[in-house]
Amino acid sequence: MAYVADTIFALATAPGKAGVAVVRVSGTRVAEAGRALFGALPKPRFAAIKLLKDHDGRRLDQALVLYFEKGGSFTGEEVLELHLHGSTAVVNAVLRELSEMDGLRLAEAGEFTRRALENGCLDLAQVEGLADLIDAETEAQRRQALRVLSGDLGNLAGKWRTDLIRAAALIEATIDFADEDVPVDVTPEVTELLLGVRVELDKEIKGVETAERIRTGFEVAILGAPNVGKSTLLNALAGREAAITSEYAGTTRDVIEVRMELNGLPVTLLDTAGLRETDDHVEGIGIQRARERAAAADLRVILKSEGKEPDFAPLPDDVIRSSKADTLADPHNAISGKTGFGVSELVSEISEKLSEQAGRSGVATRERHRIAMMRASESLDSARAVLSSGPDHYDIGAEELRTAIRALDSIVGHIDVENLLDEIFSSFCIGK
């Protein structure tokens, strides 16, 4: 059922001075609003230059106008786009004129996109993809968000749903003809369908954590003993004085974070307190936090003094460097944040390792998706177990499949998502 509501309007571009500012109007009174502002509507999807006037006939602006018919717009409703000169005064004058028209009101945050969802123009996963695309700061975030917005996750969930409906139909047919001689055993085909979906679900579930890292940022912790050069290296990587450096041990008491982009990936560098035994209570808290953040980080860069073992047990993917290469006779596998020696090589190695991790991401990008897929996967396991018990338990197997299908439907917002909508759309700006 189509979404019916007031006609809404809002500035769709960022506020402030610009060459062009776009105001969008969506709803049943778009045509009335257009005729009141500039007269005859342009042909749908064809741009026209129009002189906008207020209700007293005074000029507001000369604008490029686009009109979209119902069913052919982003929201699924009639939509009018006014491409104005991007001054604050022009935008405010046009918004004020629209606000004085009967039946029109300023849109709430995310209301245009919510109407697109309600009118079936986007599914819930695509809405989340659009939110991620708007927030994207790196190339990897852009690519990932665009995949979801383009419907890749919805298409995948739809494919799984189709296979499970086929399997459920076969089981239901067996139940319906239980008193008759059914010549075909459906178990092999049903089992094959369930296994196929189960394998693909497992693959996507494993990739969610990495996909979330692409959305929120990978964490790279810099570890080592006090005065080994961690803060100096952080400053060199950040290209600014992000951390205080001194010759005194224990200068860094808390974890210092610096966000940056490496090879298109969002990365947060963590400068941690020097790892050592200490009687200083405050420094001890910093060291404990350093160990906790390091354990949770996606990658660790461990700095050590030449000829000494690392102060933190390295994992297979961790990067180990001798520090203060500028003071060493042989700077092989060493680095100096002070002179920059070895920094570019370190950045390349970090980028390569994180890119390998990013390559394991799937289409699903959120914890909500993972939970839904886990529920579906568990129901499929139960269905397979029931099917192996024979036809007398097929009715239970059919119900397990229906449960799995409902879990997949929740990914694209067909069911069980009303409580999520307010939270999702609150992240959108007004006009989107």
Side-chain angles (χ1 to χ4, degrees):
M1 181 178 178
Y3 185 70
V4 180
D6 301 331
T7 297
I8 57 174
F9 65 90
L11 177 65
T13 49
K17 294 181 181 180
V20 176
V22 179
V23 170
R24 293 199 297 183
V25 188
S26 179
T28 56
R29 296 201 172 188
V30 158
E32 295 176 37
R35 284 191 287 268
L37 281 172
F38 51 77
L41 292 173
K43 184 178 178 181
R45 294 178 176 270
F46 279 79
I49 300 293
K50 297 285 186 177
L51 182 62
L52 276 55
K53 297 181 180 181
D54 67 14
H55 58 280
D56 291 325
R58 292 172 297 195
R59 295 181 181 183
L60 294 170
D61 192 25
Q62 189 174 46
L64 183 72
V65 174
L66 285 166
Y67 169 67
F68 300 88
E69 292 179 305
K70 181 178 180 180
S73 72
F74 172 72
T75 63
E77 304 171 331
E78 284 186 89
V79 167
L80 189 66
E81 287 190 0
L82 308 174
H83 295 241
L84 311 170
H85 291 96
S87 82
T88 302
V90 168
V91 171
N92 287 343
V94 172
L95 292 178
R96 184 167 54 248
E97 186 66 22
L98 289 171
S99 70
E100 294 175 358
M101 295 182 183
D102 290 338
L104 271 67
R105 65 169 174 82
L106 186 66
E108 298 175 357
E111 191 168 3
F112 286 92
T113 306
R114 185 160 187 162
R115 292 189 177 197
L117 173 67
E118 298 285 357
N119 291 321
C121 300
L122 296 175
D123 63 39
L124 186 59
Q126 287 177 298
V127 168
E128 292 167 326
L130 178 57
D132 291 342
L133 185 60
I134 293 170
D135 290 337
E137 297 177 344
T138 70
E139 179 63 14
Q141 290 173 330
R142 182 194 67 81
R143 289 196 303 266
Q144 177 171 277
L146 200 56
R147 289 177 66 191
V148 181
L149 176 59
S150 299
D152 287 8
L153 179 56
N155 293 337
L156 190 56
K159 174 182 175 297
W160 295 334
R161 188 178 190 276
T162 298
D163 288 347
L164 296 186
I165 288 175
R166 167 66 180 169
L170 291 171
I171 294 175
E172 295 283 2
T174 302
I175 295 172
D176 290 342
F177 294 97
D179 297 332
E180 302 180 23
D181 184 17
V182 181
V184 179
D185 180 11
V186 302
T187 305
E189 183 177 354
V190 170
T191 301
E192 183 179 353
L193 288 168
L194 300 192
L195 281 173
V197 174
R198 183 69 166 79
V199 168
E200 292 184 12
L201 281 171
D202 282 347
K203 179 181 177 182
E204 284 300 318
I205 289 169
K206 291 176 182 176
V208 169
E209 184 176 354
T210 301
E212 281 198 301
R213 281 304 202 193
I214 293 175
R215 284 179 53 238
T216 61
F218 291 91
E219 288 194 347
V220 177
I222 304 174
L223 301 172
N227 274 347
V228 79
K230 300 183 299 300
S231 296
T232 303
L233 176 59
L234 176 76
N235 291 338
L237 292 170
R240 60 185 175 88
E241 293 294 319
I244 299 173
T245 61
S246 81
E247 71 275 17
Y248 300 106
T251 301
T252 302
R253 296 299 183 96
D254 205 348
V255 177
I256 297 173
E257 302 183 6
V258 174
R259 286 186 63 85
M260 61 190 303
E261 179 179 344
L262 292 180
N263 196 27
L265 295 172
V267 176
T268 299
L269 296 174
L270 308 176
D271 178 22
T272 60
L275 303 178
R276 67 171 180 170
E277 297 297 327
T278 180
D279 294 327
D280 186 310
H281 178 67
V282 176
E283 185 183 358
I285 293 174
I287 292 171
Q288 179 60 32
R289 288 181 179 177
R291 292 185 180 278
E292 291 172 355
R293 291 297 296 273
D298 301 286
L299 186 66
R300 284 150 291 273
V301 175
I302 301 176
L303 296 183
K304 66 183 186 68
S305 298
E306 177 68 11
K308 293 186 178 180
E309 291 299 314
D311 296 278
F312 192 89
L315 296 175
D317 279 344
D318 288 347
V319 179
I320 303 175
R321 291 287 192 276
S322 295
S323 64
K324 303 180 181 179
D326 52 299
T327 66
L328 302 179
D330 180 10
H332 175 69
N333 203 35
I335 193 167
S336 171
K338 183 178 180 180
T339 66
F341 179 87
V343 171
S344 60
E345 290 81 0
L346 176 64
V347 169
S348 296
E349 186 170 354
I350 292 173
S351 299
E352 183 179 346
K353 288 179 178 293
L354 293 182
S355 295
E356 289 177 2
Q357 292 187 35
R360 295 193 287 270
S361 68
V363 180
T365 59
R366 294 174 181 256
E367 179 65 8
R368 182 183 74 82
H369 304 157
R370 189 191 69 82
I371 292 173
M373 291 187 295
M374 284 293 296
R375 284 166 42 207
S377 183
E378 290 166 1
S379 294
L380 292 186
D381 288 343
S382 298
R384 287 168 56 201
V386 167
L387 289 176
S388 65
S389 300
D392 290 343
H393 299 85
Y394 277 8
D395 55 338
I396 301 175
E399 180 57 34
E400 291 290 353
L401 290 185
R402 285 191 286 271
T403 300
I405 291 169
R406 286 194 293 270
L408 297 178
D409 282 343
S410 71
I411 293 176
V412 293
H414 291 165
I415 61 169
D416 295 339
V417 293
E418 281 301 319
N419 59 328
L420 291 172
L421 296 183
D422 290 340
E423 178 182 348
I424 290 172
F425 288 113
S426 67
S427 67
F428 281 78
C429 58
I430 293 174
K432 195 57 187 173

